[in-house]
Amino acid sequence: GWRRPEYGEKRNVFGVTMSLGQGLGPPLFWTHYSYLGLDPRAISYDGESYFEHFKRFCQVQVRYAQSKRDTFEGYGPLWGLTSSANPNHYKGHRPGERDDGTIAPTAALSSMPYLPDASMSCLRILYNEHGRKLWKDYGFTDAFNYSKDWVAPLLLGIDAGPIAPMIENHRSGLPWKMFMKS
């Protein structure tokens, strides 16, 4: 199934050359959950590692957020679209038509291995400038939508779960090393 023609489409999105996936890219959980242990540098598609493809997905999300700073409050310095709660329910947010202005902190923070500078910048802004609204007992809220004056009242474990392992993958690669030994 991974080699179907629909699996990849060569395109240029916000100046980023992409060949995995389609359109503006997927919700970022695609680059996190399966790759908490499975090292994306060890598998490839179209001659490049998944790590490089995932880095591009993240670059597109950063550039997309910058392009929407006049549409959605907070976009630009803040970024990160993935599946999360939103003002109406839970959905897979991604750039384009599936974007309603809801940012999920886990999207940017769990992308630390792929875009450490952009992830760290987002983390600092989330905590230093928005921490009073967004920080809960165990970490950042699941999601927020400043355009609709909404902050999720909870933190969902499955959404927050990738943050620590992916930061550790950036820091030392330990989860990737341990899993790949198997």
Side-chain angles (χ1 to χ4, degrees), residues 115-134:
L115 284 187
D117 292 340
S119 295
M120 186 59 82
S121 175
C122 190
L123 169 62
R124 286 186 177 112
I125 294 167
L126 285 167
Y127 188 77
N128 293 330
E129 297 178 25
H130 304 274
R132 285 199 171 118
K133 287 183 182 177
L134 304 179

Side-chain angles (χ1 to χ4, degrees), residues 4-13 16-25 45-46 53 57:
R4 296 182 314 197
E6 305 87 46
Y7 194 67
E9 165 187 274
K10 293 194 184 298
R11 64 211 185 276
N12 188 295
V13 182
V16 178
T17 303
M18 298 174 65
S19 63
L20 183 63
Q22 298 177 337
L24 301 177
Y45 175 81
D46 197 33
H53 289 289
F57 287 159

Side-chain angles (χ1 to χ4, degrees), residues 61-163:
Q61 286 231 3
V62 169
R63 293 177 186 184
Y64 174 82
Q66 291 167 345
S67 80
K68 293 294 186 180
R69 64 179 352 139
D70 293 334
T71 305
F72 297 120
E73 189 175 337
Y75 276 44
L78 301 176
W79 61 279
L81 304 177
T82 194
S83 293
S84 70
N86 71 23
N88 301 315
H89 46 79
Y90 190 97
K91 82 175 190 181
H93 304 94
R94 64 177 180 246
E97 63 187 40
R98 297 279 302 179
D99 181 18
D100 64 4
T102 301
I103 293 175
T106 187
L109 304 183
S110 298
S111 295
M112 190 89 49
Y114 310 120
L115 284 187
D117 292 340
S119 295
M120 186 59 82
S121 175
C122 190
L123 169 62
R124 286 186 177 112
I125 294 167
L126 285 167
Y127 188 77
N128 293 330
E129 297 178 25
H130 304 274
R132 285 199 171 118
K133 287 183 182 177
L134 304 179
W135 190 259
K136 304 295 182 192
D137 290 341
Y138 302 104
F140 288 108
T141 186
D142 187 56
F144 60 94
N145 187 321
Y146 284 157
S147 295
K148 295 182 179 176
D149 194 29
W150 175 83
V151 173
L154 50 95
L155 185 143
L156 294 174
I158 191 162
D159 291 346
I163 296 172

Side-chain angles (χ1 to χ4, degrees), residues 7-67:
Y7 194 67
E9 165 187 274
K10 293 194 184 298
R11 64 211 185 276
N12 188 295
V13 182
F14 294 104
V16 178
T17 303
M18 298 174 65
S19 63
L20 183 63
Q22 298 177 337
L24 301 177
L28 286 178
F29 79 84
W30 284 22
T31 71
H32 303 148
Y33 292 106
S34 296
Y35 304 96
L36 298 175
L38 181 60
D39 188 343
R41 299 170 297 189
I43 53 177
S44 64
Y45 175 81
D46 197 33
E48 292 185 301
S49 73
Y50 272 42
F51 185 93
E52 290 301 318
H53 289 289
F54 295 168
K55 184 176 180 176
R56 289 189 186 105
F57 287 159
C58 295
Q59 289 170 330
V60 166
Q61 286 231 3
V62 169
R63 293 177 186 184
Y64 174 82
Q66 291 167 345
S67 80

